Each structure stands twice: as structure tokens, then as C-alpha cells.
């Protein structure tokens, strides 16, 4: 046993036959996606800007993928900008909003002051950290609206109450990656749109609306016309695609502003220059096709398995020992996500997982996995007590997860908890 290691961790082995339940962190590429990437690498290797056959083939692959991604979210092909992933897309929206705020002033000498952005207290780091950096540099002001401890949502009235005369962007995720709670983005867009009509008459800057849909795509209905947003972030590896992304923009550069963060060869209409990653874009297009065709089937299956998991946990551990951290009154949540705590001393989520021989999962967002036993700030924001949040596990099922997998996982959790209970008694 290494110095400083938890005895429980030191005893845990990692035999084959694991069950992966961390699909909110990432998903394996679907076989059809792997094939699309392979085909593009071998058949469409040319530079898409070139006129010879391999280049034209690459351009066709990109155009087809753009149509598929647009269809998946209910937009137009010209509204889709391919990016390296969700982080870039989110940063691009924030950059654009601040730039547009300054560009929109009536004359160069005018000054509305510092651009202000409203977001929630439970956003992904790729929204929170860019905003904190801009605030630190004095380039923007930001309000992080707390979520309701009753609903787990960023409530529309609370978001609207945070808006100032200098507000230029509201960015609220479509569904939370840890609790699975679905945010009221459609209602928020409607209210901001009505507010913008009054602001124009008063000479105030337009408020742009963005949602990060990373967790929702492939697990529920996503339609940009219904949502009414100006921007929507798309992340391929969350819906069995490759690790690239896209940004939906409602009429980029015309109806809705979009300013590049990079400058180069003019690809993606100069909004995101750089020679296109044709194989990954082709893979993203294929993943989008699968979602468009099958999302309702995926949703029904994952909800059935998730609900079975939660019932099995209560039946095995007893209702009094399971605290559901993602059950909020009046809120809908992702079909695949269960965040719960097994109550008791010494059962911190990390320790339980370290003693599992079958289950592969996380205590929260994968990018926070180095934070030890410190509970999730998102759960604390939602009003989950500190000692309960410390014991949290986030299990997220996938398209191929079965009830048999769930039976194995619950049995595995029971042996892990029994082992830790025994340690605690010594």
C-alpha cells in the first residue's frame, strides 16, 4: 500500500467485466460513426478548399454533415459552425456578446459601460471560467444566478431580475450534467425576446440568449425554433459522436452576431478558420443522423433503465438509506441521469467507487474528479446538505445499458458499502 493511500482504495481490484455508467462524461462512438470517420479518412482526405476530386469529396462530406447536424436541432445548414468542441463554442458566444455590446453603441464616442452577462450558478466550467476571467480582467461583469433549492432550476424570474441596462448575454444550460435537471430555456427566451423589444425603444443593447445543450442532445427533444435561442452549443462526444462540436447560430453574422476568435484561411465563412477536420465532421454528421432518427427510442429505453436503477437501489438499501439528489418538485430531468447518496459515515462517493469491482462511474462532473472528498458545488447550490453531497454518486446510463447491468451494479454497490461499513466499525 502506497504512503497516504486509503486502506479501502488499496484493497480494491479492477478485474474485467466492468459496467460503465458514466455516459454524461463521455460516450463511445457508435459503430456507424466509426465507419463514417474511417470512410472519410480513406476517401475524402483532400483539402476541402481544393478543386480536385478528393477535395470536392471532402467538401461534400462536410456539407452533408452540416445538413445532418442542422436537422438534428431544427435549424438551417447555414446556421451551423463546426468547432473543436463545446468549450470553444461557449467561449465564442461569450466573446461575441462582449464584442457586439461595444460595436452596437450608436457612435464611437458613446459608452454604455462594461458588458454584463447573466448565467447560473450550476454552469459547466467552459461558461463559468471564461466569465470569471473576463471579470478578473475588468472586461465584463457577470451575475451567477443561484438555482432554486426547491426546483434545482435557474428560475426565469430570478434570471430576469439579474438583468441590467448593460446586460448583453444570458447563458443558461439546457440540462445540468450532474443533477440532470432541465432548465426553462424556452420560457426564458420568450421573456428576453419581449424585453428586447422594449430595450430597443430605450436605446439599450440587445440581450442575446445562449444555451449549452451538451447533455440534452440524444436524450430528449432539442429544437432551436421551439427554444427560441440565438445560440446553442453541440458536443459530439456526448451523443456517441467524435470529440468535436458545433455552434448553432440563428443567422450568423446577419440576424445574430458572431465574431471569430481565430483568424486564418477563411474556412467556416471566416467565423472559425482552419482547414476542416473532415473525418471528425463526417462522424459528427453520422451521430446527428442517428439522433434524429432514434432519439425517442433512446429516451424511452434510458428512462426505463434509470427508473429501474433507482427502484433497485431503494429495494436493496432501503428507502431511508438512499437520498435522491436529483429529485426536485416540479422539475423534469434527463432520462438517463441518477444522482444519489448512500447515507452513512465513511461512505463518501469516491471511497464507495474505489471499492466497486464492477461499476465505473463518477461522483460528479468528470473535470472535477481531482477534488477528492469535497462535495460538488452544484449539489451544494441545489441545497443538498454537505454530508449528503459528500456521499454523492452520479450514475448515467446509456443506449445499451440493460437491467442486467443495473442488477450487477447494485450488487456491487452493496458489497462496497458492506466493506466500508465494516471498516467504519473497526
Amino acid at each position: 500500500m502506497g504512503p497516504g493511500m486509503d486502506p479501502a482504495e488499496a484493497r480494491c481490484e479492477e478485474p474485467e467485466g466492468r459496467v460503465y455508467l458514466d455516459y454524461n462524461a463521455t460516450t463511445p462512438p457508435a459503430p456507424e460513426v466509426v465507419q463514417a470517420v474511417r470512410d472519410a479518412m480513406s476517401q475524402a482526405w483532400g483539402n476541402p478548399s481544393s478543386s480536385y476530386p478528393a477535395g470536392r469529396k471532402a467538401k461534400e462530406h462536410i456539407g452533408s454533415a452540416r445538413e445532418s447536424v442542422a436537422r438534428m436541432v431544427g435549424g438551417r445548414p447555414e446556421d451551423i459552425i463546426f468547432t473543436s468542441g463545446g468549450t470553444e463554442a461557449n467561449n465564442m458566444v461569450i466573446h461575441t456578446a462582449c464584442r457586439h455590446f461595444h460595436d452596437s453603441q450608436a457612435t464611437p464616442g458613446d459608452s454604455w459601460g462594461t458588458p454584463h452577462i447573466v448565467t447560473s450558478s450550476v454552469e459547466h466550467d467552459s461558461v463559468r471560467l471564461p466569465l470569471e476571467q473576463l471579470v478578473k480582467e475588468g472586461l465584463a461583469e457577470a451575475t451567477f444566478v443561484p438555482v432554486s433549492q426547491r426546483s434545482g432550476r435557474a428560475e426565469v424570474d430570478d434570471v430576469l431580475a439579474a438583468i441590467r441596462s448593460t446586460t448583453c448575454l444570458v447563458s443558461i444550460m439546457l440540462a445540468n450534467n450532474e443533477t440532470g435537471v432541465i432548465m426553462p430555456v424556452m420560457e426564458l427566451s420568450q421573456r428576453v425576446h419581449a424585453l428586447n423589444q422594449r430595450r430597443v425603444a430605450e436605446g439599450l443593447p440587445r440581450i442575446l440568449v445562449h444555451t449549452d445543450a451538451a447533455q440534452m442532445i440524444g436524450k430528449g427533444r432539442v429544437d432551436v425554433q421551439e427554444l427560441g435561442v440565438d445560440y446553442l452549443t453541440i458536443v459530439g462526444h456526448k451523443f456517441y459522436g467524435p470529440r468535436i462540436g458545433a455552434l448553432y447560430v440563428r443567422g450568423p453574422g446577419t440576424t445574430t452576431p458572431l465574431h471569430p476568435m481565430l483568424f486564418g484561411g477563411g474556412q467556416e465563412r471566416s467565423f472559425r478558420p482552419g482547414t476542416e477536420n473532415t473525418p471528425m465532421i463526417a462522424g459528427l454528421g453520422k451521430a446527428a443522423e442517428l439522433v434524429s432518427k432514434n432519439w425517442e427510442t433512446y429516451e424511452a429505453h434510458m428512462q426505463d433503465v434509470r427508473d429501474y436503477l433507482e427502484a433497485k437501489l431503494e429495494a436493496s438499501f432501503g428507502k431511508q438509506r438512499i437520498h435522491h439528489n436529483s429529485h426536485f418538485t416540479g422539475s423534469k430531468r434527463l432520462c438517463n441521469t441518477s444522482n444519489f447518496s448512500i447515507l452513512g459515515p465513511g461512505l463518501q462517493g469516491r471511497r464507495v467507487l474505489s471499492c466497486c469491482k464492477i461499476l465505473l462511474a463518477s461522483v460528479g462532473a468528470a473535470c472535477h474528479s481531482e477534488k477528492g472528498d469535497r462535495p460538488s458545488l452544484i449539489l451544494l447550490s441545489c441545497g443538498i446538505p454537505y454530508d449528503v453531497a459528500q456521499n454523492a454518486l452520479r450514475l448515467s446510463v446509456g443506449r445499451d445499458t440493460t437491467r442486467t447491468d443495473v442488477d450487477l451494479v447494485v450488487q456491487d454497490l452493496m458489497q462496497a458499502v458492506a466493506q466500508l461499513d465494516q471498516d467504519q466499525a473497526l
Side-chain angles (χ1 to χ4, degrees), residues 218-219 240 295 297-307 335-337 397-400:
K219 302 170 192 169
Y240 294 73
W295 73 264
T297 303
Y298 297 152
E299 182 182 36
H301 169 74
M302 288 188 278
Q303 184 162 331
D304 175 74
V305 175
R306 190 274 312 276
D307 290 350
C335 61
N336 77 321
T337 306
V397 307
R399 297 173 186 174
D400 300 319

Side-chain angles (χ1 to χ4, degrees), residues 273-321:
T275 303
E276 299 92 336
N277 190 345
T278 307
M280 296 300 111
I281 290 173
L284 186 68
K286 178 55 70 173
E289 282 181 36
L290 294 173
V291 168
S292 295
K293 183 179 178 182
N294 302 309
W295 73 264
E296 289 171 301
T297 303
Y298 297 152
E299 182 182 36
H301 169 74
M302 288 188 278
Q303 184 162 331
D304 175 74
V305 175
R306 190 274 312 276
D307 290 350
Y308 178 74
L309 165 66
E310 294 187 342
K312 189 78 174 179
L313 285 167
E314 290 186 356
S316 301
F317 287 97
K319 284 189 177 184
Q320 299 305 312
R321 204 169 187 194

Side-chain angles (χ1 to χ4, degrees), residues 342-354:
I342 304 171
L343 302 181
L347 298 181
Q348 292 86 355
R350 179 184 59 83
R351 299 190 78 222
V352 171
L353 289 177
S354 74

Side-chain angles (χ1 to χ4, degrees), residues 13 44 46 92 144 156 160 169 186 204 252-253 257 273 278 284 289 333 348 374 384 401:
E13 301 173 354
M92 190 183 293
F144 296 87
V156 173
L160 292 175
L169 175 68
M186 181 175 71
L204 294 175
T278 307
L284 186 68
E289 282 181 36
R333 58 183 170 133
Q348 292 86 355
R374 278 188 288 169
I384 305 299
T401 308

Side-chain angles (χ1 to χ4, degrees), residues 49-339:
S49 299
S50 302
S51 58
Y52 42 76
R56 290 200 303 273
K57 186 77 171 174
K59 191 172 183 178
E60 287 171 12
H61 274 268
I62 292 167
S64 175
R66 199 183 308 278
E67 289 176 2
S68 296
V69 173
R71 193 177 307 116
M72 175 179 71
V73 297
R76 305 172 304 167
E78 57 266 35
D79 295 334
I80 301 298
I81 309 295
F82 292 117
T83 67
S84 61
T87 295
E88 182 186 352
N90 288 343
N91 275 262
M92 190 183 293
V93 170
I94 293 166
H95 166 78
T96 290
C98 292
R99 172 80 181 270
H100 182 66
F101 174 86
H102 293 297
D103 288 354
S104 298
Q105 293 170 131
T107 62
D110 288 350
S111 178
W112 283 328
T114 305
H116 173 244
I117 295 168
V118 179
T119 189
S120 82
S121 62
V122 298
E123 296 297 313
H124 190 268
D125 279 355
S126 59
V127 169
R128 181 178 65 85
L129 292 178
L131 291 178
E132 289 183 353
Q133 185 63 29
L134 288 172
V135 170
K136 183 179 177 182
E137 295 175 9
L139 299 175
E141 296 175 340
T143 299
F144 296 87
V145 176
V147 293
S148 162
Q149 296 192 359
R150 184 187 63 81
S151 68
R153 307 192 311 175
E155 296 294 0
V156 173
D157 286 343
D158 295 335
V159 174
L160 292 175
I163 288 175
R164 307 174 187 170
S165 61
T166 54
T167 302
C168 61
L169 175 68
V170 170
S171 178
I172 302 291
M173 61 182 11
L174 193 48
N176 185 262
N177 48 311
E178 291 194 29
T179 64
V181 168
I182 297 170
M183 302 294 176
V185 172
M186 181 175 71
E187 183 189 348
L188 178 63
S189 294
Q190 292 169 346
R191 299 276 294 274
V192 171
H193 179 71
L195 180 60
N196 273 333
Q197 292 178 321
R198 297 199 298 273
R199 285 171 68 94
V200 168
E202 296 169 12
L204 294 175
R206 171 185 172 189
I207 300 170
L208 301 161
V209 180
H210 166 245
T211 191
D212 181 345
Q215 290 296 338
M216 189 71 173
I217 292 173
K219 302 170 192 169
R221 179 178 172 82
V222 177
D223 186 317
V224 292
Q225 308 309 327
E226 194 175 90
L227 292 169
V229 294
D230 299 302
Y231 308 98
L232 182 139
T233 295
I234 298 162
V235 182
H237 74 98
K238 303 294 189 183
F239 56 96
Y240 294 73
R243 289 204 175 124
I244 64 163
L247 179 65
Y248 161 83
V249 185
R250 187 181 298 275
T254 54
T255 304
T256 304
L258 186 63
H259 293 287
M261 297 179 71
L262 305 173
F263 296 87
Q267 295 86 351
E268 293 298 289
R269 289 157 285 164
S270 293
F271 292 123
R272 206 292 183 179
T275 303
E276 299 92 336
N277 190 345
T278 307
M280 296 300 111
I281 290 173
L284 186 68
K286 178 55 70 173
E289 282 181 36
L290 294 173
V291 168
S292 295
K293 183 179 178 182
N294 302 309
W295 73 264
E296 289 171 301
T297 303
Y298 297 152
E299 182 182 36
H301 169 74
M302 288 188 278
Q303 184 162 331
D304 175 74
V305 175
R306 190 274 312 276
D307 290 350
Y308 178 74
L309 165 66
E310 294 187 342
K312 189 78 174 179
L313 285 167
E314 290 186 356
S316 301
F317 287 97
K319 284 189 177 184
Q320 299 305 312
R321 204 169 187 194
I322 297 294
H323 185 281
H324 295 288
N325 302 323
S326 51
H327 288 192
F328 292 96
T329 304
S331 291
K332 294 180 180 179
R333 58 183 170 133
L334 292 173
C335 61
N336 77 321
T337 306
S338 180
N339 194 309

